[in-house]
Amino acid sequence: MTILVNNISVGLHEDQESRVERALKKAGLRPGQVERVAVAKRSVDARRRENIRFLYTMELQVKDGVQVRLGDGVTARSYAALAPEPGSCPMEHPPVIAGFGPAGMFCGLLLARMGYRPLILERGQAMEDRVRGVEAFFAGGPLWEESNVQFGEGGAGTFSDGKLTTRIGNPRCRFVLEEFVRLGGPEELLWEQKPHIGTDRLRKVVVNLRREIERLGGEVRFGTRLDEIALRNGAVSGVRAGGIAIPTENLVLAVGHSARDTFAMLQKTGLEMEVKPFSVGVRIEHLQREIDGGLYGKWAGHPLLPKGEYQLSHRDREGRAVYTFCMCPGGVVVPAASVEKTVVTNGMSNYLRDGENANAALVASVDSRDFGTDPMAVLAWQERLEKVAWSLTGCYRAPAQTVGRFLEGRPGVVFGRVKPTYAIGVEGADFEKLFPPRILEQLRLGLRIFGQRLPGFDAPDSVLTGPETRTSSPVRVCRDETLQAAGARGLFPCGEGGGYAGGITSAAVDGLRVAEQIIRQYAPPK
């Protein structure tokens, strides 16, 4: 029997190995009654900076025949195998997956593991070529619209912090984390409260995952964009991609949140879509040591403490929110455009998070009150911000303001301790020319409120770089309880692009759910 013992508190300056003795005592067990003890979850409680503590959940494998009294923080743990029973409906052609981000990768992995030989289409390039092209763009070279920070092997998450946190309580999350570890990720992904893999280690895992799919009989075609979907009698009959017609009865749309041309194609095909709320704003940069100091006080820099992270939010009476998103400790702000003559920002950090700056998106929520209910209109609204940003600098350099000047309504920058990390460079600008007044008001409100919660957040020399526009998909491709698109049997909108996820782990979980749906209906192709 395996049990979890929750809420084991150990002070920063106590022996962390005492967690084992405390867990045994709480469970009423002796050392000889357990076969294995491991950390199941660890978090930092820094609410009282003078008494920072680690909170552990410990996993104990109890020997056969030993009685365990459950309750009072002691619970049984069980793992459900992810192996759905295949259906009986014959499958004439292997399923096709459009997109090789987290949703497409994990959908493809499960289908391949169950013998369905999926064909995965990815408009961008394989990892080595993609990274080479992105690094050339960061160095001032041309933007490759088909393969960039948004498109290519691994999806947009490849150039990020590699956060694997999620708010969904889905048991498939454990499967995702275990696969990341099995394919080369660090062991602590399984027990840290805020697991992250870093862009450097994530890239290796993605390549290993693709090779696993290929070893199991799947195929991944890079440089192959989904151009057309064929429907016959309300059901998928095939696709056209890279100039080639491909017959299939099952298409998984895992195209990511930036495939505007694909969304336009879906609308012409007649698929039902709707606008959904998302957020826009800027990247804010601080010195990482200042964030650590604001969170940990005098214990900042202690070798046991992780790099300081924050998540701040405020909602007004009208339901409008301003919040921080995708915080990257020790990271950099990266150019994330996927369309020529636009500027887009994002955040990225490596596994060690050892850069001088911290950065996060500081964003305001937007919805149909801002851009109407036409899916194509919201995409145009989003792209218009990115084009205006380009016009402010006349190149891929990003417009920037320091916090002090932004709060005072004065254009430009006065750099102090914080130096911008945006690879192509920044130019002082006036965000009054970039964002609508309501968004500016929300961003300023957030800076003032968050500065009261986290000392130094609103420091005058903190750097704002914009715009951050790709927080999530602005549209949703409607689907029913079978996860299939309305009026298009065999078509499965999936992941962030479909509007059903918000991060690496939740997108991967949605990909698994779609794969299970296909498996339960069909027998593997012959």
Side-chain angles (χ1 to χ4, degrees), residues 260-417:
R260 293 170 181 154
D261 49 2
T262 303
F263 293 136
M265 179 271 289
L266 297 178
Q267 188 182 60
K268 290 180 181 179
T269 304
L271 294 188
E272 182 181 347
M273 294 190 292
E274 60 187 13
V275 302
K276 59 180 283 291
F278 69 112
S279 302
V280 298
V282 294
R283 278 273 152 184
I284 183 167
E285 290 193 85
H286 306 91
L287 293 176
Q288 180 64 50
R289 65 175 181 269
E290 296 290 330
I291 297 299
D292 293 345
L295 292 171
Y296 301 138
K298 65 180 181 180
W299 303 117
H302 192 285
L304 289 183
L305 289 173
K307 298 291 185 181
E309 296 184 65
Y310 57 79
Q311 187 172 350
L312 305 165
S313 64
H314 173 76
R315 188 175 297 273
D316 65 21
R317 293 178 181 177
E318 296 181 353
R320 302 280 197 174
V322 56
Y323 61 98
T324 63
F325 171 79
C326 186
M327 195 263 169
C328 297
V332 296
V333 180
V334 297
S338 57
V339 177
E340 287 187 349
K341 295 188 176 180
T342 61
V343 173
V344 181
T345 63
N346 196 9
M348 182 177 80
S349 56
N350 288 326
Y351 172 68
L352 293 179
R353 291 174 159 177
D354 55 359
E356 185 175 0
N357 285 5
N359 76 80
L362 173 66
V363 292
S365 62
V366 291
D367 54 36
S368 58
R369 290 173 287 182
D370 299 287
F371 38 68
T373 58
D374 179 1
M376 294 302 105
V378 63
L379 295 173
W381 185 91
Q382 183 188 48
E383 187 168 315
R384 188 157 51 247
L385 285 178
E386 300 165 4
K387 288 181 175 178
V388 171
W390 164 278
S391 72
L392 292 178
T393 65
C395 61
Y396 290 111
R397 292 168 66 88
Q401 277 188 264
T402 39
V403 165
R405 296 183 71 88
F406 177 66
L407 289 174
E408 294 169 358
R410 294 192 294 159
V413 294
V414 177
F415 294 129
R417 299 166 304 159

Side-chain angles (χ1 to χ4, degrees), residues 406-465:
F406 177 66
L407 289 174
E408 294 169 358
R410 294 192 294 159
V413 294
V414 177
F415 294 129
R417 299 166 304 159
V418 184
K419 301 299 187 292
T421 59
Y422 189 83
I424 302 175
V426 303
E427 288 187 12
D430 184 357
F431 286 158
E432 300 274 354
K433 297 179 180 179
L434 176 57
F435 297 110
R438 186 195 65 77
I439 293 175
L440 292 167
E441 180 183 341
Q442 289 289 103
L443 295 178
R444 290 188 173 114
L445 175 65
L447 282 166
R448 294 188 176 101
I449 291 175
F450 302 157
Q452 296 171 5
R453 298 181 189 173
L454 178 59
F457 187 86
D458 58 348
D461 63 346
S462 301
V463 178
L464 305 174
T465 310

